Amino acid sequence: MSTLQPQQPLQHIDQWDDFVAARYQEGKDASEFRNYDEKANPGVAEFYRFNHANQTLAFVLEKEKEYGALKRGKKSIWAAADYLNTLVDDSDPDTDLCQIEHLLQTAEAIRKDGHPRWFILAGFMHDLGKVLCLYGEPQWAVVGDTFPVGCAYSDQIIFPEFFALNPDMRVPEYQTKYGIYEPNCGLDNVHLSWGHDEYIYRVTKNYLPEPALYMLRYHSFYPAHRHGAYRHLMSARDETMFEWVRKFNAYDLYSKGAAKPNQAELKPFYEDLIAEYVPAEIDW
Ligand SMILES: [Fe+2]
Ligand SMILES: [Fe+2]
């Protein structure tokens, strides 16, 4: 099986987050979704070309096994956030917020709206899976909209034409509506393209309440939570929990312009909050 070589077409992985935020700008018509052409967004298009070409079922199963074992050592949540912060944007070191700042802005916006403490914590932790970049994973295996593998691709996935490059396209069993899955089998039984959502879910699944775990695990699953795709694989439980995923998504997308958070001032609050739910050090 031939796959394209890993490449890093994004200047920084936050370029994908910025693309998504622009795509779902508040007030923007949903019908504009399909109007992304390669020429207007060359780096992002190239990124999706690699993502869609290489995220096969076999690749996902391999990564689930590799990282699901949590053999990357023990770390506290705050230490993981500090570690993630070492991922700097070479192209624009001054203007972009560092990783902890995005986590704190998301969490603080949730906190200001009076949501439960576990919801605030989900905001603080949701992107920690991006440490996959620091483990040497290519951009296309860390970020990007996620989608099920092992069944037909929805046309509600961005740049669906790039799936022509995916070897799974030539496996008829993987290209039926349900593929390897049963109707409404529940997303816990479905393999999504590998990335930072699934990894942070696996790291935290013993510690956080169920709605928080849904937020972490499915926040990049835009085809489902934004476009209503793949309901034929979702259970009634998933449908209920996706209300929380949608609630969370607004904070992820729209808290960015907010004031720069003061890390030193906020740290004690977040240390206490983390300690309420998570042991001092956990397996990564
Ligand atoms: Fe994310
Ligand atoms: Fe985020």
Side-chain angles (χ1 to χ4, degrees):
M1 186 171 75
S2 70
T3 51
L4 298 171
Q5 284 305 302
Q7 289 186 10
Q8 312 286 57
L10 302 176
Q11 289 163 330
H12 186 267
I13 52 166
D14 289 348
Q15 199 187 344
W16 170 73
D17 300 86
D18 295 343
F19 172 74
V20 175
R23 214 165 78 195
Y24 299 114
Q25 247 168 53
E26 282 166 307
K28 201 170 178 182
D29 191 335
S31 66
E32 290 174 54
F33 173 67
R34 295 295 301 272
N35 297 338
Y36 291 98
D37 64 72
E38 290 190 55
K39 279 175 234 117
N41 306 275
V44 168
E46 182 72 353
F47 161 78
Y48 278 110
R49 212 166 64 81
F50 280 103
N51 177 275
H52 291 6
N54 290 295
Q55 290 271 3
T56 59
L57 175 62
F59 175 78
V60 169
L61 293 177
E62 182 194 310
K63 291 295 156 186
E64 286 177 354
K65 202 169 157 205
E66 179 182 353
Y67 290 111
L70 303 181
K71 295 287 184 218
R72 286 267 163 178
K74 284 188 177 293
K75 250 193 190 73
S76 73
I77 297 296
W78 197 273
D82 274 335
Y83 178 49
L84 181 62
N85 239 9
T86 64
L87 190 67
V88 291
D89 185 350
D90 297 328
S91 69
D92 197 0
D94 298 324
T95 56
D96 272 359
L97 288 175
C98 66
Q99 299 292 322
I100 285 189
E101 285 170 346
H102 168 57
L103 295 176
L104 286 173
Q105 280 191 334
T106 306
E108 284 293 286
I110 294 165
R111 184 180 169 193
K112 276 192 192 78
D113 282 353
H115 289 298
R117 285 172 70 79
W118 55 260
F119 194 161
I120 304 169
L121 184 58
F124 182 71
M125 293 172 60
H126 78 280
D127 275 342
L128 291 178
K130 288 180 179 174
V131 294
L132 286 168
C133 276
L134 297 163
Y135 301 162
E137 291 295 337
Q139 293 166 342
W140 57 262
V142 181
V143 295
D145 304 52
T146 56
F147 52 85
V149 293
C151 64
Y153 307 110
S154 165
D155 63 359
Q156 296 302 307
I157 303 167
I158 190 91
F159 291 115
E161 63 273 24
F162 296 148
F163 285 118
L165 301 164
N166 192 305
D168 284 357
M169 272 299 238
R170 296 185 291 278
V171 182
E173 190 200 349
Y174 299 165
Q175 293 309 320
T176 62
K177 182 178 178 185
Y178 293 101
I180 62 170
Y181 309 112
E182 299 294 325
N184 302 106
C185 58
L187 292 177
D188 194 38
N189 294 306
V190 173
H191 303 281
L192 295 195
S193 52
W194 179 258
H196 71 290
D197 301 51
E198 182 67 20
Y199 181 49
I200 192 59
Y201 161 73
R202 290 189 178 230
V203 169
T204 58
K205 71 176 177 185
N206 294 329
Y207 310 116
L208 301 183
E210 190 181 18
L213 293 173
Y214 265 81
M215 292 169 181
L216 266 47
R217 195 178 197 183
Y218 300 113
H219 72 272
S220 305
F221 193 13
Y222 285 89
H225 71 66
R226 275 273 169 167
H227 299 278
Y230 295 107
R231 294 191 62 187
H232 58 283
L233 296 177
M234 291 168 68
S235 64
R237 188 77 189 152
D238 293 331
E239 299 272 5
T240 308
M241 287 293 137
F242 263 52
E243 289 303 321
W244 289 107
V245 178
R246 278 185 280 273
K247 216 171 268 185
F248 171 79
N249 184 236
Y251 294 103
D252 190 9
L253 290 182
Y254 307 129
S255 61
K256 276 176 188 166
K260 211 172 157 74
N262 183 330
Q263 276 185 57
E265 213 170 81
L266 292 171
K267 190 171 176 177
F269 172 84
Y270 283 92
E271 290 279 35
D272 281 353
L273 179 59
I274 293 163
E276 249 178 71
Y277 291 90
V278 188
E281 290 199 321
I282 57 173
D283 292 316
W284 289 78

